[in-house]
Amino acid sequence: MLHGMSTTVEASSERSAAEVNEEIRALWLRSGGTLSVEQREEYQRLVQEWATALPQEAAEAA
C-alpha cells in the first residue's frame, strides 16, 4: 500500500532500488506534485539511497 509506507530511510543494503523507487513515487503522489521543504529533504535522501542500491544490485546480479 503506497500511503502506508515508512518515511524513514533504511540502510540501502536492506532495500532494493525498486522498493526505494516505489517510496519515491508514493512521496510524489502524497505531495500532489509539489514538495514541501521537509518532503524535498526526504526526496533527496531517498534518491541517494536509490542511487546507492542500483550498483549493489548490479554487482549481486553479476
Side-chain angles (χ1 to χ4, degrees):
M1 174 162 76
L2 292 178
H3 296 288
M5 299 184 85
S6 169
T7 58
T8 59
V9 178
E10 299 173 21
S12 60
S13 62
E14 295 179 19
R15 298 197 306 175
S16 70
E19 291 171 316
V20 179
N21 188 43
E22 184 176 343
E23 189 164 345
I24 291 169
R25 289 174 184 263
L27 173 62
W28 278 105
L29 285 173
R30 285 192 313 269
S31 74
T34 303
L35 299 176
S36 68
V37 172
E38 181 179 292
Q39 289 169 320
R40 274 183 262 151
E41 291 170 357
E42 179 181 358
Y43 174 76
Q44 289 173 342
R45 287 190 307 270
L46 288 168
V47 168
Q48 288 174 344
E49 182 181 355
W50 174 81
T52 301
L54 284 176
Q56 288 176 351
E57 290 178 11
E60 291 171 2

